Amino acid sequence: MDSLKFHHDPEENYSYSHMANPLDPEEFRRQGHIMIDFIADYYKNIEKYPVRSQVQPGYLRKSLPESAPLHPEAIETILRDVHDHIVPGITHWQSPSYFAYFPSSGSIAGFLGEMLSTGFNVVGFNWMSSPAATELENIVMDWLGDMLQLPKSLLFSGNGGGVLQGTTCEAIVCTMAAARDQILSRIGRDNIGRLVVYGSDQTHSALQKASQIVGINPNNFRAIKTTKSTEFALSPELLRLIICSDVEKGLVPLFLCATVGTTSTTSIDPLGELCDVAKDYGMWVHVDAAYAGSACICPEFRHLIEGVEGANSFSFNAHKWFFTTLDCCCLWVKNPSALIDSLSTNPEFLKNKASDSKKVVDYKDWQIALSRRFRALKLWLVLRSYGVVNLRNFLRSHVNMAEVFEKLVEENKRFEVVVPRKFAMVCFRISPSAISKDPSDDNENVMINEVNCKLLEAINASGNVYMTHAVVGGIFVLRCAIGATLTKGKHIVMAWKEVQGHADAVLRMYQSF
Ligand SMILES: *Cc1c(COP(=O)(O)O)cnc(C)c1O
């Protein structure tokens, strides 16, 4: 019936000649230019939009038709709807006044690399399916590993190797599965219920998710307590105590996730000492440097991953603070065959001479899915377009701006920096003494947190800047994470003015009670 209707449609006479082929090169050129212009204008005008989207849940269904169109629509029409209906529901991660979560620092090179990769649209599951996809990934991972001064044992040029995953969550699932199968092949598959996973109470929830997926008994997941006095770093002594007590109970230590740059406060776990403890128990150590790994290409930050040579794997997200579009998690492992043993399959339809020769990497065996994107291309474009020197300087400029913001907070008696800044993120709040006459009283703490929570909500409702929060050691902190590529010094000054203005209003409200 529908096809009949389509046949008699008056719009049939409209010229959609390119519909004969959805990949018509000339039409691609025309629409592609329109799209680039649209995105360039978006970046140019990005400061006109509220940073955090102000829409209410369900807003979009009210504006869009109830079903997909039967007939073609022009790109111009579609982009008008993007402008009218989609952009209001966008939280502008590329805005220079975006300071929430962690940055997703975009760049021309990252964008163009993504575009090129999408243009080729290859599915590089094994070497044969697009040799360049695998070989470029091998090369870029060694380049990056050298930039981070990772030990040779984690690089292809040693006996390890790197792979691009979508996200840190996937990287941890894969390494934990490898660790699990390595141990279970020694002690027997039916011992899975005895395996224990360790992290701190600051470790990203990705670790817990991975444990759930990999089949770890939920009672054997340890989030070891950290404290403000040690800047929320995982204590090697405490780790050892807890492992000892687990071993006494007949449990088997499996996996430790150490973090460089935790999500709440960018705390740094002491890698060297933690790896020493783990070594005594034969555990797999993964280093999660999702955010802060980028900074370690600067010599002045490299010491923060000292001790990484004792770890089994290391990952960081190039899609956070490294000018590469989502998604792009860089993972290196010391023993790729552990990954492969756990994740490989060998179906008939993928058999080929190159794989049989064992002279190539088949990345399908290093990840969860079979299909995979040509992500190395965008990383390669980023590295080549900017060069190591500029990449370091971009990162340093963000760190410098964070230093400025930190100083502004410190110089204002009403505010305090809650945890010393390590990279380009400042954790701060209105000082207890500005809110309460007796800040040491525990009941007062609730109010202190409430005032800071109100402050954050007021800041974000303004639409002028966007920051998010964390609760650490019972303290509600505002996080100002600097790293959006368009951010300049003036945006930091403006952000601080915004914070102060709202603090005036919020404090007045409380003091009038
Ligand atoms: C962002 C972040 C993650 C999660 O990264 P995904 O790529 O989204 O899985 C994990 N760990 C840390 C420390 C992070 O900051």
Side-chain angles (χ1 to χ4, degrees):
M1 287 300 275
D2 275 345
S3 62
L4 208 69
K5 221 164 81 193
F6 186 73
H7 191 72
H8 293 288
D9 197 286
E11 272 195 44
E12 197 191 7
N13 296 330
Y14 193 86
S15 168
Y16 282 110
S17 57
H18 61 278
M19 292 300 159
N21 190 333
L23 201 51
D24 178 76
E26 287 314 315
E27 189 58 23
F28 171 73
R29 192 188 313 279
R30 186 186 77 83
Q31 294 192 27
H33 283 141
I34 291 173
M35 189 62 82
I36 291 286
D37 282 341
F38 182 89
I39 299 168
D41 287 339
Y42 169 69
Y43 289 145
K44 205 163 150 186
N45 296 317
I46 197 162
E47 290 187 68
K48 291 185 183 152
Y49 307 114
V51 187
R52 186 184 73 174
S53 171
Q54 313 274 315
V55 301
Q56 296 304 313
Y59 89 100
L60 193 54
R61 204 169 270 286
K62 293 185 199 124
S63 322
L64 296 190
E66 274 179 19
S67 52
L70 267 183
H71 306 299
E73 297 184 88
I75 188 70
E76 292 86 348
T77 312
I78 299 168
L79 282 179
R80 169 109 326 256
D81 281 348
V82 171
H83 178 273
D84 293 348
H85 303 306
I86 302 298
V87 171
I90 295 283
T91 290
H92 302 282
W93 288 62
Q94 303 312 311
S95 162
S97 299
Y98 175 93
F99 306 108
Y101 310 105
F102 276 137
S104 170
S105 51
S107 72
I108 298 170
F111 180 93
L112 295 184
E114 184 79 53
M115 195 168 157
L116 193 55
S117 148
T118 304
F120 291 138
N121 201 19
V122 299
V123 185
F125 36 67
N126 59 17
W127 181 87
M128 197 68 239
S129 69
S130 266
T134 296
E135 295 199 12
L136 188 63
E137 192 161 323
N138 296 166
I139 293 165
V140 165
M141 293 307 285
D142 268 6
W143 280 12
L144 251 180
D146 279 338
M147 287 164 63
L148 292 163
Q149 295 182 49
L150 292 181
K152 270 263 182 287
S153 57
L154 283 169
L155 310 185
F156 285 108
S157 51
N159 276 323
V163 56
L164 293 173
Q165 301 268 336
T167 61
T168 298
C169 287
E170 292 160 76
I172 298 180
V173 168
C174 292
T175 49
M176 196 185 290
R180 174 199 64 192
D181 293 339
Q182 223 175 20
I183 284 206
L184 292 183
S185 71
R186 276 207 310 273
I187 65 171
R189 303 273 339 166
D190 49 355
N191 283 303
I192 187 163
R194 294 168 59 205
L195 304 180
V196 192
V197 168
Y198 302 86
S200 83
D201 58 3
Q202 301 299 310
T203 306
H204 194 277
S205 54
L207 183 67
Q208 191 191 339
K209 183 178 268 206
S211 307
Q212 287 165 205
I213 294 173
V214 165
I216 304 306
N217 179 343
N219 296 324
N220 293 350
F221 178 78
R222 307 274 178 269
I224 299 170
K225 198 168 156 45
T226 59
T227 60
K228 186 165 184 284
S229 60
T230 51
E231 294 180 14
F232 302 103
L234 175 55
S235 150
E237 294 78 26
L238 196 50
L239 173 68
R240 190 183 289 280
L241 276 177
I242 291 172
I243 293 178
C244 278
S245 119
D246 283 337
V247 170
E248 267 170 39
K249 283 184 244 163
L251 300 177
V252 179
L254 168 69
F255 192 91
L256 166 68
C257 180
T259 309
V260 175
T262 59
T263 311
S264 292
T265 62
T266 69
S267 301
I268 299 160
D269 292 338
L271 297 189
E273 291 169 79
L274 291 171
C275 288
D276 287 346
V277 176
K279 197 170 167 213
D280 290 344
Y281 297 92
M283 292 166 75
W284 185 295
V285 180
H286 178 75
V287 177
D288 173 7
Y291 158 74
S294 315
C296 297
I297 68 163
C298 303
E300 67 272 29
F301 285 105
R302 172 57 180 78
H303 69 276
L304 299 172
I305 55 168
E306 243 161 56
V308 65
E309 55 281 358
N312 301 74
S313 48
F314 173 91
S315 64
F316 96 94
N317 280 350
H319 63 246
K320 269 187 175 148
W321 191 25
F322 207 66
F323 312 96
T324 308
T325 50
L326 189 71
D327 48 8
C328 194
C329 170
C330 309
L331 167 70
W332 289 268
V333 291
K334 223 178 226 177
N335 183 5
S337 60
L339 265 191
I340 295 165
D341 287 346
S342 193
L343 303 173
S344 76
T345 53
N346 191 20
E348 181 59 37
F349 73 98
L350 293 177
K351 288 197 176 134
N352 66 88
K353 276 199 187 119
S355 298
D356 290 344
S357 78
K358 309 263 182 229
K359 283 191 192 129
V360 298
V361 171
D362 286 336
Y363 273 129
K364 72 179 176 55
D365 300 334
W366 295 50
Q367 63 171 25
I368 297 167
L370 169 65
S371 298
R372 65 198 316 275
R373 313 172 58 213
F374 191 169
R375 292 193 187 95
L377 213 39
K378 60 184 170 187
L379 209 42
W380 190 53
L381 256 79
V382 167
L383 298 180
R384 292 190 61 190
S385 299
Y386 303 120
V388 180
V389 170
N390 274 311
L391 288 169
R392 284 179 182 148
N393 287 339
F394 294 155
L395 297 170
R396 284 170 181 149
S397 79
H398 295 150
V399 172
N400 289 343
M401 285 189 274
E403 276 167 2
V404 169
F405 190 87
E406 185 186 37
K407 248 202 204 98
L408 291 168
V409 174
E410 280 171 347
E411 283 167 0
N412 189 304
K413 280 198 280 301
R414 291 190 305 174
F415 286 86
E416 68 176 13
V417 172
V418 179
V419 188
R421 182 197 51 78
K422 309 256 178 358
F423 303 96
M425 203 265 280
V426 181
C427 288
F428 69 103
R429 65 170 174 169
I430 301 180
S431 284
S433 60
I435 300 166
S436 159
K437 296 219 161 51
D438 182 11
S440 59
D441 181 341
D442 270 355
N443 294 328
E444 297 285 291
N445 222 351
V446 175
M447 187 181 52
I448 293 161
N449 282 350
E450 214 176 273
V451 171
N452 277 289
C453 180
K454 286 240 155 62
L455 170 63
L456 181 63
E457 193 38 47
I459 292 169
N460 291 336
S462 77
N464 295 330
V465 297
Y466 183 25
M467 295 179 192
T468 51
H469 78 282
V471 176
V472 283
I475 302 169
F476 184 101
V477 297
L478 288 80
R479 294 164 74 266
C480 179
I482 293 159
T485 315
L486 295 169
T487 304
K488 293 193 185 126
K490 66 173 184 185
H491 300 103
I492 304 303
V493 175
M494 265 162 25
W496 178 237
K497 274 210 185 110
E498 194 74 25
V499 170
Q500 280 178 293
H502 291 291
D504 288 340
V506 169
L507 282 173
R508 258 200 311 275
M509 215 172 72
Y510 266 82
Q511 279 149 4
S512 65
F513 279 116

